[in-house]
Every structure is written in C-alpha cells, then in structure tokens.
Amino acid sequence: MVWMNQVNYLYFKMNDLNKFYYDILNIRKPSVNYNLIKEIVNKKTNELLKRTNDISGLCKVIALFVLEELNKLNIRTLEFNIKDLCELNYEHVFLISYYKENDEIKYILIDPTYTQFVKTKGFLNPKFNAWPSEILSKTEKGTKILESLVGNGCSLVENEDVNLYLNSFGSVVEEFNLEKSFITHSKKY
C-alpha cells in the first residue's frame, strides 16, 4: 500500500510539473474554435497582401498558406476546387475545416479570395453568367455567408450553406455533404 501512495504522489507531481512547464512556456495547444481559424485566415491573408496589393486569383496560394498553418495545429481541413463540384470549367480553390465544440461538429468554409467575385472588385469573368456574390446574396442565409467571407475570409457553414456558396458559381454537379466529404475526400490534410 505504501508503494501505491508513492506512485500516486509521483503521478500527481508529474502532472503538476507538466502544468508548470505549460504555464511558464505557454506551449499549450490553443482550443480550436471559429475565432482561432478566423485569426489564422486573416493573418495569412495579411501576410500575402504585404507581398501583393491584391489577392484576386491567388486562391491556391492563400489556401496553401492557411492549410499549412491549420495543419500545424492538427485542425482537419480539406481542399476543394470549384471545377470538381460545379458544372463550370473554372478553377477556384477553397477550404473547409472542422472542429468539435460541446460534442457538436462545426464546419468552416474558408475562402479569403471570394471578394474577387463581388461586383465592385473588377470585371465579370466571361465564364460566369452573373456575379457569384449577387447570386449568393439572393437569400438571407447567402447574404450572411457573403458578409462573413468578405469580412473574415471564412464562414461557419452547414450543408445548405455550402450548396448556396457552390451554386453562386454555377449548377452543382452533386449535392454537397460536409460529413460525407470528410469521410471520403481523397485529398486528406
């Protein structure tokens, strides 16, 4: 029984020592939430904007920067391309991340370059029949997604929201399902 007390004491001291080092060195893994991911997206977008004055057309670059940072924190993230999901021969990359909050899975659509699809940002690409932002803003939910993408580069989403986003580019080939995508998507990060 004495040795059991010693083991318990050592275990307690070890945990106490780990807590001490975590507190002193501030090496705890941050808790994953929407604000953390939004911070990362904004940080990486601003870093890219320091190198160029416009990130239009740089969706793959910013996606790679954000993806790399999210990977460091072990935040599950998948990369998608519009041309694979819509009946449109146009390349545009976006990310979807997820995290758990109170045993509920939260999904975040990440697309800091969506601003290039807002009418005030330039000319309409001939591959589109209308500005994607105008199509997205036709519904209240779409307007919220648009405001979040333009303001934060990302938006909390559910299946319906992702489909609204995709439909802003053109007809969706197949109804998008977040859970299914994370289970079957071949490009895992």
Short mmCIF file of all heavy atoms in Angstrom, two decimals, residues 37 67 70-71 73-78 96-99 181-185 187-189:
data_model
loop_
_atom_site.label_atom_id
_atom_site.label_comp_id
_atom_site.label_asym_id
_atom_site.label_seq_id
_atom_site.Cartn_x
_atom_site.Cartn_y
_atom_site.Cartn_z
N ILE A 37 -9.58 30.05 -36.06
CA ILE A 37 -9.45 29.81 -37.50
C ILE A 37 -9.55 31.13 -38.26
O ILE A 37 -8.78 31.39 -39.18
CB ILE A 37 -10.47 28.76 -37.98
CG1 ILE A 37 -10.11 27.40 -37.34
CG2 ILE A 37 -10.50 28.66 -39.50
CD1 ILE A 37 -11.10 26.30 -37.56
N LEU A 67 -3.77 26.39 -45.04
CA LEU A 67 -3.74 24.95 -44.81
C LEU A 67 -2.52 24.54 -43.99
O LEU A 67 -2.61 23.74 -43.04
CB LEU A 67 -3.76 24.22 -46.15
CG LEU A 67 -3.92 22.72 -46.14
CD1 LEU A 67 -5.20 22.29 -45.47
CD2 LEU A 67 -3.89 22.20 -47.57
N LEU A 70 -3.05 25.60 -40.38
CA LEU A 70 -4.05 24.75 -39.72
C LEU A 70 -3.50 23.36 -39.44
O LEU A 70 -3.80 22.75 -38.41
CB LEU A 70 -5.33 24.67 -40.57
CG LEU A 70 -6.10 25.98 -40.73
CD1 LEU A 70 -7.24 25.80 -41.71
CD2 LEU A 70 -6.60 26.50 -39.40
N ASN A 71 -2.68 22.85 -40.35
CA ASN A 71 -2.04 21.54 -40.14
C ASN A 71 -1.15 21.55 -38.91
O ASN A 71 -1.08 20.55 -38.19
CB ASN A 71 -1.22 21.13 -41.37
CG ASN A 71 -2.08 20.56 -42.47
OD1 ASN A 71 -3.19 20.12 -42.25
ND2 ASN A 71 -1.55 20.58 -43.67
N LEU A 73 -1.63 22.96 -36.24
CA LEU A 73 -2.49 22.84 -35.06
C LEU A 73 -3.36 21.58 -35.10
O LEU A 73 -4.25 21.42 -34.28
CB LEU A 73 -3.38 24.08 -34.93
CG LEU A 73 -2.63 25.39 -34.73
CD1 LEU A 73 -3.59 26.56 -34.79
CD2 LEU A 73 -1.88 25.38 -33.40
N ASN A 74 -3.09 20.72 -36.08
CA ASN A 74 -3.87 19.48 -36.26
C ASN A 74 -5.36 19.74 -36.43
O ASN A 74 -6.19 18.99 -35.93
CB ASN A 74 -3.62 18.51 -35.10
CG ASN A 74 -2.22 17.98 -35.10
OD1 ASN A 74 -1.67 17.67 -36.15
ND2 ASN A 74 -1.61 17.91 -33.93
N ILE A 75 -5.69 20.81 -37.15
CA ILE A 75 -7.08 21.10 -37.46
C ILE A 75 -7.39 20.46 -38.80
O ILE A 75 -6.77 20.78 -39.81
CB ILE A 75 -7.33 22.63 -37.50
CG1 ILE A 75 -7.02 23.25 -36.13
CG2 ILE A 75 -8.77 22.92 -37.92
CD1 ILE A 75 -7.04 24.76 -36.12
N ARG A 76 -8.32 19.54 -38.79
CA ARG A 76 -8.67 18.78 -40.01
C ARG A 76 -9.24 19.73 -41.05
O ARG A 76 -10.22 20.42 -40.81
CB ARG A 76 -9.66 17.68 -39.66
CG ARG A 76 -10.01 16.78 -40.79
CD ARG A 76 -8.99 15.67 -40.97
NE ARG A 76 -9.17 14.98 -42.21
CZ ARG A 76 -10.02 13.98 -42.40
NH1 ARG A 76 -10.76 13.55 -41.44
NH2 ARG A 76 -10.10 13.41 -43.59
N THR A 77 -8.62 19.77 -42.21
CA THR A 77 -9.01 20.68 -43.28
C THR A 77 -8.89 19.98 -44.62
O THR A 77 -7.94 19.25 -44.86
CB THR A 77 -8.08 21.93 -43.27
OG1 THR A 77 -8.12 22.52 -41.97
CG2 THR A 77 -8.52 22.95 -44.29
N LEU A 78 -9.86 20.22 -45.48
CA LEU A 78 -9.84 19.67 -46.82
C LEU A 78 -9.85 20.79 -47.84
O LEU A 78 -10.45 21.84 -47.62
CB LEU A 78 -11.06 18.77 -47.06
CG LEU A 78 -11.16 17.52 -46.19
CD1 LEU A 78 -12.45 16.77 -46.50
CD2 LEU A 78 -9.97 16.61 -46.39
N ILE A 96 -12.36 23.72 -46.36
CA ILE A 96 -13.35 23.52 -45.31
C ILE A 96 -12.64 22.83 -44.15
O ILE A 96 -11.97 21.82 -44.33
CB ILE A 96 -14.56 22.69 -45.78
CG1 ILE A 96 -15.31 23.44 -46.88
CG2 ILE A 96 -15.49 22.41 -44.59
CD1 ILE A 96 -16.55 22.76 -47.39
N SER A 97 -12.77 23.43 -42.97
CA SER A 97 -12.20 22.88 -41.74
C SER A 97 -13.33 22.48 -40.81
O SER A 97 -14.45 22.95 -40.97
CB SER A 97 -11.36 23.94 -41.01
OG SER A 97 -10.20 24.21 -41.69
N TYR A 98 -12.99 21.65 -39.86
CA TYR A 98 -13.98 21.39 -38.82
C TYR A 98 -13.32 21.22 -37.47
O TYR A 98 -12.12 20.94 -37.36
CB TYR A 98 -14.87 20.19 -39.18
CG TYR A 98 -14.30 18.83 -38.86
CD1 TYR A 98 -14.42 18.28 -37.59
CD2 TYR A 98 -13.67 18.07 -39.84
CE1 TYR A 98 -13.92 17.02 -37.30
CE2 TYR A 98 -13.18 16.82 -39.57
CZ TYR A 98 -13.30 16.30 -38.29
OH TYR A 98 -12.80 15.05 -38.02
N TYR A 99 -14.11 21.44 -36.45
CA TYR A 99 -13.67 21.24 -35.07
C TYR A 99 -14.90 20.86 -34.26
O TYR A 99 -16.04 21.01 -34.72
CB TYR A 99 -13.01 22.51 -34.51
CG TYR A 99 -13.93 23.69 -34.41
CD1 TYR A 99 -14.62 23.98 -33.24
CD2 TYR A 99 -14.14 24.53 -35.51
CE1 TYR A 99 -15.48 25.06 -33.15
CE2 TYR A 99 -15.00 25.61 -35.43
CZ TYR A 99 -15.66 25.87 -34.25
OH TYR A 99 -16.52 26.93 -34.18
N SER A 181 -18.01 14.31 -47.21
CA SER A 181 -16.76 14.81 -47.79
C SER A 181 -15.57 14.52 -46.90
O SER A 181 -14.50 14.16 -47.38
CB SER A 181 -16.86 16.31 -48.05
OG SER A 181 -17.79 16.55 -49.05
N PHE A 182 -15.74 14.68 -45.61
CA PHE A 182 -14.62 14.44 -44.70
C PHE A 182 -14.34 12.95 -44.54
O PHE A 182 -13.23 12.56 -44.19
CB PHE A 182 -14.86 15.11 -43.33
CG PHE A 182 -14.40 16.53 -43.31
CD1 PHE A 182 -15.24 17.54 -43.71
CD2 PHE A 182 -13.11 16.85 -42.95
CE1 PHE A 182 -14.82 18.86 -43.72
CE2 PHE A 182 -12.67 18.16 -42.96
CZ PHE A 182 -13.53 19.17 -43.35
N ILE A 183 -15.31 12.13 -44.82
CA ILE A 183 -15.10 10.68 -44.73
C ILE A 183 -14.46 10.17 -46.01
O ILE A 183 -13.55 9.36 -45.99
CB ILE A 183 -16.44 9.95 -44.48
CG1 ILE A 183 -16.95 10.30 -43.09
CG2 ILE A 183 -16.29 8.45 -44.63
CD1 ILE A 183 -18.36 9.84 -42.81
N THR A 184 -14.91 10.67 -47.18
CA THR A 184 -14.49 10.08 -48.44
C THR A 184 -13.50 10.90 -49.25
O THR A 184 -12.96 10.39 -50.23
CB THR A 184 -15.71 9.82 -49.34
OG1 THR A 184 -16.35 11.07 -49.61
CG2 THR A 184 -16.68 8.86 -48.70
N HIS A 185 -13.29 12.14 -48.89
CA HIS A 185 -12.41 13.01 -49.70
C HIS A 185 -11.01 12.40 -49.77
O HIS A 185 -10.41 12.06 -48.76
CB HIS A 185 -12.36 14.41 -49.11
CG HIS A 185 -11.85 15.44 -50.07
ND1 HIS A 185 -10.53 15.67 -50.27
CD2 HIS A 185 -12.51 16.30 -50.87
CE1 HIS A 185 -10.39 16.63 -51.15
NE2 HIS A 185 -11.58 17.03 -51.53
N LYS A 187 -8.17 13.76 -50.78
CA LYS A 187 -7.05 14.65 -50.51
C LYS A 187 -7.09 15.06 -49.05
O LYS A 187 -7.63 16.08 -48.67
CB LYS A 187 -7.15 15.89 -51.40
CG LYS A 187 -5.84 16.50 -51.73
CD LYS A 187 -6.03 17.57 -52.77
CE LYS A 187 -4.70 18.03 -53.27
NZ LYS A 187 -4.84 19.06 -54.29
N LYS A 188 -6.57 14.23 -48.18
CA LYS A 188 -6.65 14.46 -46.74
C LYS A 188 -5.42 15.23 -46.26
O LYS A 188 -4.31 14.97 -46.67
CB LYS A 188 -6.74 13.14 -45.99
CG LYS A 188 -8.03 12.43 -46.30
CD LYS A 188 -8.12 11.13 -45.57
CE LYS A 188 -9.43 10.45 -45.98
NZ LYS A 188 -9.56 9.14 -45.48
N TYR A 189 -5.68 16.19 -45.37
CA TYR A 189 -4.60 17.01 -44.81
C TYR A 189 -4.60 16.91 -43.31
O TYR A 189 -5.57 16.74 -42.70
CB TYR A 189 -4.76 18.47 -45.23
CG TYR A 189 -4.65 18.64 -46.71
CD1 TYR A 189 -5.76 18.67 -47.52
CD2 TYR A 189 -3.40 18.74 -47.30
CE1 TYR A 189 -5.65 18.83 -48.87
CE2 TYR A 189 -3.28 18.89 -48.67
CZ TYR A 189 -4.41 18.93 -49.44
OH TYR A 189 -4.28 19.08 -50.79
#
